[in-house]
């Protein structure tokens, strides 16, 4: 999630045509070549670079999962959003503004792509290796008040993940100084409804199936225990 989107809180494949050659027709002096692929406009919304190497989250999240998740799924949301937003007022908005506006307007086609693009920006940023592996400061105090300790937060997060039917997300949110866990379906997220997400755990199958098959809660437990960069989460709280 970039700084511009943070301040706002408050694929399709390219087509190539090949030239047809008539059976029995004489060949031209120069061999025929395929028509160059049509350029896909990059659009106003840019997928942020992955902030670590694809194998940096192993063994909890393997390199193959990261490659597919970031390089295929996440990229596809940006590609689709840029096509949908072309020539519309969405082009002039930040990604977070598009999420909120399309949710309010019940523009499902745009919301699904913008929501997933934004959700994944937040997701990859919070998994950046190298940060503290335990909450500190104000965040630790808030977790202690709302859940007891980190272990209790891990347990509550896995319980919340088990309750999300089908695809979706589990979010740690701040609400009037208290912390809570919220499950959402598909592309939905707290920011679409004025909430403040501190971390988001992807429970779509593409996030974990290669590594954990159908053991969703095992994956969620491992991510919260070993991969969350708590300094990023603390920054989102404002600690």
């Amino acid at each position: 999630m970039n700084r511009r989107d943070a301040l706002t809180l408050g694929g399709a494949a390219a087509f190539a045509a090949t030239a047809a050659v008539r059976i029995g027709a004489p060949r031209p002096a120069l061999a025929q070549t395929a028509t160059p692929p049509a350029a896909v406009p990059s659009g106003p919304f840019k997928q942020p670079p992955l902030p670590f190497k694809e194998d940096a989250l192993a063994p909890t999240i393997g390199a193959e999962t990261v490659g597919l998740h970031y390089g295929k799924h996440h990229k596809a949301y940006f590609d689709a959003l840029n096509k949908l937003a072309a020539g519309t007022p969405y082009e002039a908005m930040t990604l977070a503004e598009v999420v909120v506006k399309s949710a309010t307007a019940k523009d499902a086609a745009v919301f699904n792509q913008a929501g997933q693009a934004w959700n994944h920006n937040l997701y990859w940023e919070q998994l950046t290796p190298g940060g503290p592996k335990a909450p500190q400061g104000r965040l630790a105090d808030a977790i202690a008040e709302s859940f007891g300790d980190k272990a209790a937060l891990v347990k509550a997060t896995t319980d919340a993940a088990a309750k999300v039917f089908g695809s979706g997300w589990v979010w740690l949110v701040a609400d009037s100084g208290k912390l809570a866990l919220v499950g959402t379906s598909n592309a939905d997220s707290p920011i679409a409804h004025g909430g403040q997400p501190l971390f988001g755990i992807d429970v779509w199958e593409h996030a974990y199936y290669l590594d954990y098959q159908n053991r969703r809660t095992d994956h969620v437990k491992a991510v919260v225990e070993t991969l969350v960069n708590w300094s990023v989460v603390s920054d989102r709280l404002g600690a």
Side-chain angles (χ1 to χ4, degrees), residues 40-99:
V40 177
S42 58
F45 304 106
K46 312 291 186 183
Q47 181 186 21
L50 192 68
F52 43 77
K53 294 182 178 179
E54 289 187 359
D55 63 356
L57 306 181
T60 299
I61 304 177
E64 186 177 6
T65 294
V66 173
L68 291 170
H69 196 172
Y70 174 81
K72 300 293 185 181
H73 293 278
H74 192 193
K75 179 180 182 299
Y77 299 128
F78 275 93
D79 291 345
L81 174 61
N82 280 318
K83 289 188 173 183
L84 290 168
T88 75
Y90 291 123
E91 282 188 311
M93 300 180 187
T94 67
L95 182 57
E97 286 172 338
V98 175
V99 173

Side-chain angles (χ1 to χ4, degrees), residues 35 49 53 55 98 104 108 117 133 160 172 186 189 197 230:
T35 302
K53 294 182 178 179
D55 63 356
V98 175
T104 302
K133 297 307 177 185
L172 178 67
N186 300 318
S189 72
W230 294 100

